[in-house]
Amino acid sequence: MAVEPLSQKDVEDRLQELPGWTTDGDRISRTYSFEGHFAAAAMVVHVAQIQDELGHHSDLTLGYNTVSLTVNTHSAGGKVTGLDVELARRVEAVAGPHGAR
């Protein structure tokens, strides 16, 4: 099933429900901070699990005490789709329990 790109307004409207997430028009992204490396690494594992469940993967970067995600949908011409927003929602739901700020 093909996914359709969201309009810029739709992306911005949906990101209103996801504090800290931003868009540059072609992708959405967020960086989380943690108390230390282990907490950040644990978050990466959890995000990887979510991505596998959705069959949709972001660019995911682990720093010492940070985790950064950037996502768009390649099959939609590298634009933002509802699938990207769903991934962001699912990640946001697990970020707090990992101590993300």
Side-chain angles (χ1 to χ4, degrees), residues 1 10 12 15 25 29 37 40 52 56 70-71 75 79 81 96 98:
M1 178 170 87
D10 284 342
E12 291 169 4
L15 291 186
S29 60
H37 186 67
D52 279 353
H56 189 59
T70 302
V71 65
S75 64
K79 301 294 182 185
T81 68
H98 281 283

Side-chain angles (χ1 to χ4, degrees), residues 33-55:
S33 297
F34 299 84
E35 289 295 319
H37 186 67
F38 188 81
M43 175 75 170
V44 166
V45 171
H46 205 157
V47 170
Q49 179 183 17
I50 291 166
Q51 292 178 141
D52 279 353
E53 288 170 4
L54 290 174

Side-chain angles (χ1 to χ4, degrees), residues 3-70:
V3 288
E4 296 296 320
L6 297 173
S7 71
Q8 186 64 29
K9 181 176 180 342
D10 284 342
V11 172
E12 291 169 4
D13 288 349
R14 291 178 188 207
L15 291 186
Q16 291 295 315
E17 300 171 10
L18 297 167
W21 285 85
T22 60
T23 182
D24 68 0
D26 289 334
R27 60 188 151 229
I28 58 174
S29 60
R30 177 141 173 17
T31 297
Y32 296 95
S33 297
F34 299 84
E35 289 295 319
H37 186 67
F38 188 81
M43 175 75 170
V44 166
V45 171
H46 205 157
V47 170
Q49 179 183 17
I50 291 166
Q51 292 178 141
D52 279 353
E53 288 170 4
L54 290 174
H56 189 59
H57 301 81
S58 68
D59 290 332
L60 182 60
T61 305
L62 171 63
Y64 167 71
N65 65 344
T66 60
V67 172
S68 298
L69 293 91
T70 302

